[in-house]
Amino acid sequence: MQKNLDPLLEEISGPTPAQVLRKRVVGHKGLIFGLFIVFLLVLVAIFAPLLAPHSPYEQSLGNRMVEPVFMGGTWEHPLGTDHLGRDYLSRLIYGARVSLLIGLVAALISGTIGTAMGVAAGYFGGKVDAVVTFLINVRLAMPVVLVALAVVAILGGSLQVVIGVLGLLLWDRFAVVMRASTLQVRRREYVAAAQAIGASTSRVVLSEIMPNIVNNLIVIVTLEMAHAILLEATLSFLGLGVQPPTPSWGLMVSEGKNMMLFEPWLVLIPGVVLFVLVLAINLMGDGLRDVTAPDSRS
């Protein structure tokens, strides 16, 4: 009898939130594509020692500039070798570690700074809001690439310096969006109710405000992660980012630019992989925003 009533009860009560979310995720092609590519590259980065056919640092001057297999090369070096005879596929695989690490850690650092400033400005208002707004305007007046180039040139290029510089320069978008979102949410009835019953400021912020602005935070994290990856590639291309022999996609493009007219694959292969990663991260962020707050999109 109970089994016969279950379908009727489900029809009356409707789908559960988990079922609705699952349906939105499965039906969002951009999100599925982005998640698949990012997940695949994360696995490649984690298992790089097992996937790379050669050491990314091993040089063989007798095998310099071997072409990829699709251009007549051999399967010993499927994507060819660079000007020092290093296996291009191995450097590409290990380069995924550098790009994902820099993007993730820089986004976490800048996200922590910007979110704290934005939420504080939106919730407290007054002098706090004025100070944060002033700092945002100061930061927006500073060109990111030029400041990063100057700081890295002074401190020296390294993985730690690049992560620190990008993490301390990319917080402005977090602050702007979180401030605007907090200003909207703090006027809601449930926030006023929590304040009326004597909830502490930290409880109101963490329990009432943050859960309702996390959708916007997800989008900004993905955007800034992609932005940090592109900035790292830019710095490495200019010789002020990750230093050789550390494998980096931007550094690979820089090392191959002198031979671009004769061996375009040296620039094309890391450039395409970098493009696909940034596109996948942006699609993933946009898709997560759609499936978690679809009513906010027209």
Side-chain angles (χ1 to χ4, degrees):
M1 182 68 178
Q2 181 64 32
K3 293 182 178 180
N4 295 331
L5 290 176
D6 287 342
L8 181 60
L9 292 175
E10 291 180 1
E11 183 178 353
I12 295 175
S13 60
T16 64
Q19 291 173 335
V20 173
L21 181 61
R22 190 182 308 114
K23 182 178 179 180
R24 290 172 181 164
V25 170
V26 173
H28 200 292
K29 296 181 180 179
L31 175 59
I32 297 299
F33 175 79
L35 284 173
F36 174 76
I37 297 298
V38 172
F39 180 71
L40 181 64
L41 289 175
V42 169
L43 289 180
V44 168
I46 293 174
F47 298 104
L50 300 177
L51 297 175
H54 302 276
S55 169
Y57 308 105
E58 181 182 353
Q59 301 181 15
S60 177
L61 298 181
N63 289 324
R64 291 181 299 172
M65 305 302 295
V66 174
E67 292 185 336
V69 68
F70 56 83
M71 295 181 64
T74 64
W75 284 103
E76 183 180 359
H77 302 285
L79 295 183
T81 60
D82 61 9
H83 64 293
L84 295 176
R86 296 172 298 191
D87 184 70
Y88 225 52
L89 177 59
S90 300
R91 290 186 64 78
L92 200 69
I93 291 173
Y94 275 86
R97 285 184 164 186
V98 175
S99 294
L100 290 172
L101 177 64
I102 289 178
L104 180 60
V105 178
L108 289 177
I109 295 174
S110 58
T112 301
I113 297 172
T115 300
M117 294 175 63
V119 172
Y123 183 78
F124 294 106
K127 293 182 179 179
V128 176
D129 189 19
V131 171
V132 172
T133 302
F134 173 76
L135 293 176
I136 292 174
N137 290 331
V138 171
R139 164 57 197 86
L140 291 175
M142 301 164 58
V144 176
V145 176
L146 294 180
V147 174
L149 286 173
V151 174
V152 172
I154 294 172
L155 299 180
S158 68
L159 184 62
Q160 294 80 4
V161 171
V162 171
I163 291 175
V165 169
L166 296 181
L168 295 175
L169 284 177
L170 300 180
W171 55 265
D172 55 291
R173 191 175 298 179
F174 286 97
V176 171
V177 175
M178 290 299 99
R179 175 183 176 274
S181 301
T182 304
L183 283 172
Q184 294 177 349
V185 172
R186 76 170 185 177
R187 300 187 180 95
R188 302 292 175 84
E189 291 80 3
Y190 50 81
V191 176
Q195 293 172 335
I197 62 175
S200 63
T201 300
S202 59
R203 182 179 179 84
V204 173
V205 171
L206 296 177
S207 301
E208 306 297 337
I209 293 180
M210 288 302 299
N212 292 284
I213 63 176
V214 70
N215 296 323
N216 296 327
L217 182 60
I218 291 173
V219 180
I220 304 304
V221 167
T222 55
L223 288 175
E224 292 306 318
M225 183 176 176
H227 191 193
I229 292 173
L230 286 176
L231 284 175
E232 180 275 325
T234 301
L235 293 174
S236 297
F237 178 80
L238 296 174
L240 295 173
V242 177
Q243 297 299 301
T246 304
S248 164
W249 294 343
L251 185 60
M252 292 172 69
V253 174
S254 176
E255 292 174 342
K257 69 179 184 299
N258 294 328
M259 296 293 295
M260 184 170 60
L261 297 178
F262 307 100
E263 303 290 351
W265 54 270
L266 288 171
V267 174
L268 185 62
I269 291 175
V272 169
V273 176
L274 185 62
F275 164 76
V276 171
L277 174 59
V278 173
L279 175 64
I281 292 175
N282 285 326
L283 289 176
M284 182 180 69
D286 192 59
L288 289 173
R289 176 70 176 87
D290 287 340
V291 301
T292 55
D295 295 335
S296 64
R297 290 288 183 94
S298 57

